[in-house]
Amino acid sequence: MKLVRDFHEYQILDMSEGMKLESWNGKELLRPDPQIIWNHKEHPEFWNKIDATYHRSNKGGGSWEVINKKLPSSWQVHYNDLTFNIKLMGFKHTGLFPEQAYNWNMIREKITSANRPVKVLNLFAYTGAASCAAASAGAEVVHVDSSRGMVDWAKENVASSGLSDKPIRFLVDDVVKFVKREIRRGNKYDIILMDPPSFGRGANGEVWDIERDLYPLVELCTEILSDDPILFLINSYTTGLSMTVLENVLSLTVGKKYKGTISSDELGLPMKDSNLILPCGIYARWEK
């Protein structure tokens, strides 16, 4: 498991009874997490300082309860030289997945060590943390997401990180349709990143199902990789989809066309002052 230990403005303070208590630059949020099946609190004293709690609904979804009325609607957290805007949003999210800092570091290292111009395509790009990481390392970035709200949020993160002058192109589009158009245009990328949801809808209502659609998308993406690609990364939070499955997808597509190494692992976040680790999704990658 790859652990993120240097995200100092984000910490898991405690975990118990299906809930994780987190500090986001001093703002304490309590959110559900299905991995937390124990009922022991390591630091019960922390549970009296909660700023907001997410409550699940038995009808699906849920809502935030803001306990501290002085909690701002948006605030920032910093990771190295990157700055991200945090907001309470639907389905318990905050707009950032701190465990992905491991991948941000890896992406930056790949770009800086290439010693040449690098073009990056970020698909299902969400609020743009990986786009910020890639741009900060000097890459030209194309950022694609089907949600205009998420793309606007990504633009905020880019501006907050001081990267507005960098070559980042933002598109609100269905990922599959965009890739097919790039094939016709003959555009190529050295790095392709994707963080596909389990289910979703495209910009015009297109339905995405990861079990049905991931393999064909990765297969299409092999047609827009450059002659000398550097990295192909797939992140997943889909329950039941294993790292081996993602490795198999890469092996049958990118691995058949390019020589390189395929690997996978789990991402995790350590709890403050504890030996406990929270598993936080998986990844698989092909790399030169």
Side-chain angles (χ1 to χ4, degrees):
M1 179 181 287
K2 305 300 185 185
L3 302 182
V4 174
R5 298 187 182 275
D6 62 342
F7 202 143
H8 304 300
E9 292 191 2
Y10 172 86
Q11 290 182 313
I12 297 178
L13 302 177
D14 208 352
M15 302 183 284
S16 181
E17 298 180 277
M19 303 292 285
K20 58 182 174 181
L21 179 59
E22 311 161 291
S23 174
W24 296 79
N25 197 8
K27 311 297 188 295
E28 296 190 7
L29 307 181
L30 186 62
R31 296 193 290 164
D33 193 296
Q35 301 277 10
I36 303 169
I37 63 172
W38 53 92
N39 59 8
H40 172 77
K41 293 178 180 177
E42 290 272 286
H43 303 287
E45 67 276 12
F46 292 159
W47 295 72
N48 297 320
K49 306 173 185 177
I50 300 166
D51 292 302
T53 302
Y54 187 87
H55 299 286
R56 286 195 185 279
S57 168
N58 55 17
K59 297 180 181 179
S63 61
W64 284 96
E65 175 193 4
V66 177
I67 299 167
N68 177 6
K69 302 307 179 184
K70 294 182 179 180
L71 183 70
S73 59
S74 175
W75 68 97
Q76 293 182 332
V77 298
H78 306 86
Y79 179 75
N80 294 332
D81 56 339
L82 303 176
T83 300
F84 304 114
N85 297 283
I86 303 302
K87 307 172 189 179
L88 304 184
M89 57 185 295
F91 198 63
K92 75 177 181 179
H93 291 169
T94 62
L96 192 69
F97 292 87
E99 64 276 5
Q100 289 297 326
Y102 167 78
N103 281 325
W104 308 335
N105 292 342
M106 182 270 301
I107 291 164
R108 296 217 274 192
E109 190 279 327
K110 291 289 185 183
I111 293 167
T112 55
S113 64
N115 295 316
R116 61 180 171 90
V118 175
K119 289 186 66 176
V120 175
L121 175 60
N122 190 8
L123 301 174
F124 308 100
Y126 196 50
T127 60
S131 296
C132 289
S136 70
E140 178 183 343
V141 180
V142 175
H143 173 110
V144 185
D145 196 279
S146 65
S147 168
R148 182 169 297 280
M150 293 302 102
V151 171
D152 289 343
W153 195 337
K155 291 178 181 178
E156 292 178 24
N157 287 334
V158 165
S160 295
S161 295
L163 300 168
S164 295
D165 61 336
K166 301 299 182 182
I168 308 176
R169 182 181 173 209
F170 296 96
L171 294 118
V172 179
D173 206 345
D174 175 73
V175 162
V176 175
K177 289 183 177 179
F178 174 79
V179 171
K180 288 179 177 178
R181 287 199 300 274
E182 290 294 85
I183 292 172
R184 293 195 296 270
R185 294 167 181 148
N187 290 332
K188 302 288 185 178
Y189 298 89
D190 304 295
I191 293 177
I192 296 180
L193 315 170
M194 62 172 66
D195 195 347
S198 302
F199 298 95
R201 290 192 178 274
N204 295 306
E206 303 89 347
V207 176
W208 166 270
D209 181 336
I210 194 169
E211 293 181 4
R212 179 194 66 201
D213 298 325
L214 178 61
Y215 178 82
L217 174 61
V218 176
E219 198 169 34
L220 285 172
C221 285
T222 62
E223 299 185 47
I224 57 172
L225 282 170
S226 67
D227 293 335
D228 188 19
I230 297 168
L231 174 69
F232 198 117
L233 174 67
I234 306 173
N235 285 303
S236 178
Y237 293 91
T238 299
T239 303
L241 198 64
S242 77
M243 297 179 288
T244 303
V245 169
L246 297 184
E247 281 200 37
N248 290 345
V249 169
L250 289 174
S251 178
L252 292 167
T253 53
V254 184
K256 281 195 170 182
K257 192 172 181 180
Y258 300 94
K259 291 183 179 179
T261 303
I262 295 172
S263 60
S264 64
D265 210 334
E266 196 171 13
L267 297 176
L269 291 168
M271 193 176 95
K272 176 181 172 67
D273 299 329
S274 171
N275 293 323
L276 298 182
I277 303 295
L278 181 65
C280 300
I282 59 174
Y283 74 85
R285 71 186 187 224
W286 173 96
E287 56 194 311
K288 180 180 175 181

